[in-house]
Amino acid sequence: MMTAMEQMGVRAKEASRALAVAGAAKDEALAAIAEALVANCDKILEANRLDLEQGEKNGLSKAMLDRLALNPQRVQGMADGMLQVKALPDPIGKVLEGGVRPNGLHITKVRVPLGVIGIIYEARPNVTADAAALCLKSGNAVILRGGKEAIHSNTCIAQVMRQALEGSKVPVDSIQLVTDTTRQSSIDLMNLTEYLDVLIPRGGAGLIRAVVEQAHVPVIETGVGNCHVYVDKDANFAMAADIIYNAKTSRPSVCNAIETILVHQDCAGEVLPMIKARLDEKQVQLRGCERTRAILGDSVVPAIQEDWSAEYLDYILAVRVVDSMEEAMSHIARYSSGHSECIVTENYAAAQAFTSRVDSAAVYVNASTRFTDGGEFGLGAEIGISTQKLHARGPMGLNELTSMKFIIQGDGQIR
């Protein structure tokens, strides 16, 4: 007898076959979902209120509650994301390359959907809508498994999306949500080898590590963001303070927020007080090396080894003074999660060296790491930010949710 997860897999596989050839019907479905999200905003916010109340009772941090919270603007943002994805070119069927072999065979490589995508994520209900939009547009059925913190919000959003599909030519089971938030449902999804083509975890380090270690289906690793800003000796100091303030405090609970700043010794005495003054506006706790504390005083908490590899997702920032850019790059190579790094400098040679030698998915010169996002990169939305190197790296949009196949046309050739 099939388990509930296997039954979802069967329905998703069947839906994926129809989606693969749905064409313009996908865009019509995305428009219907966008309209439905706006029309049901009050209903979605009421469900979200239940999650927020439970989160406060369970002692979730302010940063985690911010990840969980919805408001009319964020619901509108989900709807806008649907329309942005709708407006993007359909990747399915796009010819990547082709040619004619000496024997007369016409060989063409084209984009095709992956098939059925599973997504395990935590307390961000907007992921429910963003992931569904990208999977649908790229011709993939999706099985969503959110965290218990957002179960009311996720259930409501999924119901709204599925109801919108009922009036479209796209199968309703193109979007399915696992409502069982026990650990067993995650294990079942990670073992859905007969139906699932790829599994994408989106959340904290613990979740991603568990999926990578336990899954029996292919996994695209995403999300952990131990991101850095290096302030070079030739930096514009006011710019550095602005970038660091934005990259840490605009939304500290997300993976593209910075967790460590590295400051060249030649400018540390002048720039660190400027940086601290800005961060004090949001009561950011600094955890610094001894040279940092010598400049900024005892208000800076002494940094320990674990601080350099921590993803705080909170108003906490590690600070280290380095002797050179070489030392900064060595620090990043050792502790970075491979997500996003930034150099602030007016020195062209330093910028070129940093971007060519730092091995992360996104490397910035004089800009906040908060731009590492599918929407900001022109992808419409993102399924997550891949920190691995196989198949996909960085913000994952439509193209990253496709594979390819070869179409060969002949006129009787045999080998």
Side-chain angles (χ1 to χ4, degrees), residues 377-412:
F377 280 16
L379 305 179
E382 68 182 39
I383 207 80
I385 297 171
S386 173
T387 53
Q388 66 182 39
K389 297 183 181 181
L390 294 178
H391 171 63
R393 195 180 194 193
M396 296 171 57
L398 295 176
N399 289 339
E400 288 72 30
L401 299 181
T402 66
S403 182
M404 67 278 301
K405 71 178 177 183
F406 291 90
I407 297 175
I408 305 96
Q409 296 181 341
D411 53 8

Side-chain angles (χ1 to χ4, degrees), residues 329-346:
M329 292 190 294
S330 294
H331 179 104
I332 291 170
R334 178 174 180 183
Y335 296 107
S336 170
S337 61
H339 194 295
S340 300
E341 327 297 344
C342 168
I343 180 174
V344 183
T345 187
E346 300 290 290

